[in-house]
Amino acid sequence: MEKKRRVLLKLSGEALAGENKTGYDEATVRDVALQVKQSVDAGVEVGIVIGGGNYWRGRSSNAIDRPKADQIGMLATIMNCIYVSEIFRSVGMETEIFTPFVCGAMTKLFSKDEANKCLKEGKVVFFAGGTGHPYFSTDTGIVLRAIEMEADIILLAKSIDGVYDSDPKVNPNAKKYDTLTITEVVDKRLAVIDLTASIMCLENHMPLAVFGLNEENSITNAMNGHITGTIVTA
């Protein structure tokens, strides 16, 4: 029996906010849902991690202790997953949300076996709450879950359309990479994912792809292996 393709998709909170900058742009989230549904209907197993930047960025206030700031960020990712999960359900998908800590009846406590079962049943699985610990970003969270769940690739849907050698918002001559190795990402300190997550990818041979969320059918294309952004090999 042929192994099904399994991907973990990372969505940035800011990208889901659209022009609103905070909260959600429902049309954007619905478009994401419809694209993911095409892949789920085709048999792709999909896990999702969502950042919390549309509500909170952990380093935005020096008045708050770092662990507490990170805890606020974890809760922001849970709110995002609950919202996006419901939009997914509204277009006909089954979903499950897992967190690394007990969160009342709103989510399930993460278990690899349980998450694996849900993916095999065709459910979209949301991994919320990061790693459950401060000082680790959602980048680290998605790499950790991708390794645990034996995903084929991590797909990073961002507001920018790939990896550049410098910030294209600041430098109009910034060069976009079509392909990179994870070693180059680490050595050059390129802002694909944070350093901890990059080293985890390096040690566990986990490939990445970075692409623009706002490009037409970008998620559908990425899940089918057609990357218009940057592929980071491991």
Side-chain angles (χ1 to χ4, degrees), residues 16-167:
L16 294 179
E19 297 295 324
N20 301 327
K21 304 300 183 185
T22 60
Y24 310 104
D25 178 68
E26 188 163 317
T28 298
V29 179
R30 190 173 182 83
D31 180 64
V32 168
L34 291 170
Q35 289 190 63
V36 171
K37 188 174 188 301
Q38 290 182 48
S39 296
V40 171
D41 288 347
V44 179
E45 296 175 347
V46 180
I48 293 181
V49 170
I50 307 175
N54 53 326
Y55 281 116
W56 179 260
R57 298 207 64 84
R59 297 159 190 79
S60 57
S61 174
N62 294 323
I64 299 176
D65 183 53
R66 171 69 185 272
K68 296 300 180 187
D70 285 355
Q71 287 168 2
I72 295 170
M74 291 176 212
L75 294 175
T77 71
I78 294 170
M79 290 191 294
N80 281 348
C81 283
I82 292 172
Y83 176 86
V84 176
S85 169
E86 285 304 298
I87 300 298
F88 275 41
R89 285 173 175 264
S90 76
V91 301
M93 286 179 280
E94 293 186 68
T95 65
E96 200 68 72
I97 304 171
F98 289 95
T99 47
F101 46 81
V102 175
C103 194
M106 293 177 283
T107 67
K108 286 187 175 181
L109 187 63
F110 173 74
S111 154
K112 176 178 177 177
D113 288 344
E114 190 65 27
N116 212 23
K117 179 183 174 184
C118 290
L119 286 168
K120 288 181 177 178
E121 289 173 349
K123 294 181 180 179
V124 177
V125 174
F126 289 82
F127 298 104
T131 66
H133 300 282
Y135 299 99
F136 293 100
S137 69
T138 49
D139 286 344
T140 307
I142 192 168
V143 173
L144 175 64
R145 295 298 180 232
I147 294 166
E148 284 182 301
M149 302 312 300
E150 300 176 51
D152 296 306
I153 193 169
I154 296 171
L155 303 177
L156 305 173
K158 298 195 171 194
S159 56
I160 190 170
D161 64 348
V163 181
Y164 289 78
D165 61 356
S166 58
D167 188 346

